[in-house]
Amino acid sequence: MEEKKNTLNLNRNSTLKEEISTEQNIDIGILKYVNILKETGYSVDAVPEKGFEITSIPDKLILEEIDGALTTKFIGRNIYHYYSIESTNSRAKEVAIEDEEGTLVMAEEQTAGKGRLDRKWLSPLGKGIWMSVVLKPNINPMKLSPIALLGAAAIYKALKNIGVDSQIKWPNDIIINGKKVAGILTESNVELNMIKYVVMGIGINVNLEPEDIPEELKSKATSIKIEENRSIYRRDLLVNLLDELEKLYLDFKVNGDISAVIEICRENSATIGKKVKVTRGGREKIGTALDINENGEVMVEFTDGHVEAIFSGEVAVIGLDGYI
Ligand code: BT5
């Protein structure tokens, strides 16, 4: 499909690299390739009597490199890669019916990234993972509500794999040192009691610098680089994430089993034990989050002693969310 090759500069790099390493005669043609590599962010040094050496590779999500590193069976085996797009979730919804399960839409930047409830999601160029995966679980739509937790658990595990500790704030935020580093937006299409598709959108602030975060978000948003004081190679995180997502998803897809996900969300929760504000239908109530039950609902004990399982709506952790 033509769109998969739409980021000309990004996609042709891998082939160029091979051409350079196998080329014996350094002529004007190779200098042209070297220049293209440099423009794309590679550092290339001339080595006397040998040719050229690539000394550093750019942190770009180059299709061929991702493809070669993937360990998944179906997630990310069909990829749409954009340099700039309004929203990967919106694009994924356009291809979700026709395309196979596991189809991945990703972009270097989103110009109209979406959060939940029509909120905006900041997605600056080349600094994060902005992606959406098409899923087609063959389960009762009534069992779909914990699916965002699946994304959260996969992000948690992928971060852990690259040495980053985080917490999960029910249902869709990943937190480091009290600030949000990643979010999940799931959008589904259900017809006649059948799930046509679920698009799981994941945004991770990877290498954002403090100046990439606007003033109004500074109290609640952060990036891995800001918290860890090191740059992260986005490809490694992405490949890890797709792998963890596929492992956790398979149990869910086949028999609706979400227990491993719930366990991860419980053990690494930024919500359990905290004072929370629950907003539903415009009304606010204060309580304490006691646990996450086996359905992925958060159990909240309100100030009047009444305990309720909350499966949707807003549960804000008091003291954690910048706006409280
Ligand atoms: C979310 O919404 O956390 C869901 C975010 C999903 C983003 C991904 S990126 C790829 C895919 N394509 C899309 O268009 N979206 C998905 P919510 O819980 O409603 O949080 C949104 C709120 O978080 C905003 O109102 C801001 O206050 C804050 N926010 C916006 N951008 C942020 C960022 N990059 N990092 C941290 N917080 C942010």
Side-chain angles (χ1 to χ4, degrees), residues 87-89 110 112-116 119-122 130-132 172-173 180 183-185 201-203 205 217 220-221:
S87 155
T88 57
N89 258 42
Q110 293 184 118
K114 299 188 294 185
R116 296 174 304 158
R119 296 177 189 136
K120 293 194 170 70
W121 184 258
L122 173 78
W130 324 123
M131 60 165 244
S132 304
N172 73 315
D173 293 350
K180 181 159 169 172
I184 300 137
L185 170 67
I202 290 181
N205 301 334
L217 286 183
K220 52 180 163 177

Side-chain angles (χ1 to χ4, degrees), residues 94-265:
E94 286 168 7
V95 301
I97 297 273
E98 295 267 300
D99 279 32
E100 68 224 46
E101 180 168 56
T103 293
L104 174 71
V105 180
M106 58 185 191
E108 291 285 336
E109 115 181 308
Q110 293 184 118
T111 54
K114 299 188 294 185
R116 296 174 304 158
L117 308 169
D118 276 339
R119 296 177 189 136
K120 293 194 170 70
W121 184 258
L122 173 78
S123 323
L125 184 69
K127 301 281 179 84
I129 291 177
W130 324 123
M131 60 165 244
S132 304
V133 182
V134 175
L135 301 172
K136 301 186 178 181
N138 190 19
I139 58 164
N140 184 333
M142 300 282 282
K143 291 193 154 186
L144 199 55
S145 59
I147 189 121
L149 296 182
L150 205 149
I155 300 172
Y156 170 86
K157 289 206 84 178
L159 289 177
K160 192 90 183 159
N161 292 346
I162 61 159
V164 176
D165 269 325
S166 65
Q167 283 190 305
I168 300 167
K169 187 171 87 64
W170 188 93
N172 73 315
D173 293 350
I174 304 296
I175 305 284
I176 300 180
N177 296 332
K179 291 185 180 176
K180 181 159 169 172
V181 78
I184 300 137
L185 170 67
T186 49
E187 298 184 84
S188 44
N189 181 328
V190 178
E191 263 176 41
L192 298 174
N193 225 19
M194 281 261 304
I195 299 171
K196 294 261 184 192
Y197 64 78
V198 177
V199 165
M200 181 182 287
I202 290 181
I204 308 180
N205 301 334
V206 184
N207 291 323
L208 281 78
E209 306 283 353
E211 57 270 25
D212 294 317
I213 299 179
E215 216 43 56
E216 67 272 17
L217 286 183
K218 280 206 193 304
S219 64
K220 52 180 163 177
T222 191
S223 75
I224 303 172
K225 184 171 187 186
I226 293 170
E227 298 306 318
E228 292 271 309
N229 221 2
R230 63 179 166 121
S231 292
I232 302 288
Y233 191 43
R234 286 179 302 154
R235 189 201 69 181
D236 289 347
L237 180 55
L238 175 71
V239 166
N240 255 296
L241 175 60
L242 298 182
D243 188 53
E244 295 295 349
L245 191 61
E246 185 172 287
K247 282 194 270 185
L248 291 172
Y249 174 66
L250 277 174
D251 249 5
F252 183 63
K253 174 188 166 70
V254 177
N255 43 29
D257 183 4
I258 198 91
S259 53
V261 166
I262 304 289
E263 212 40 51
I264 294 166
C265 291

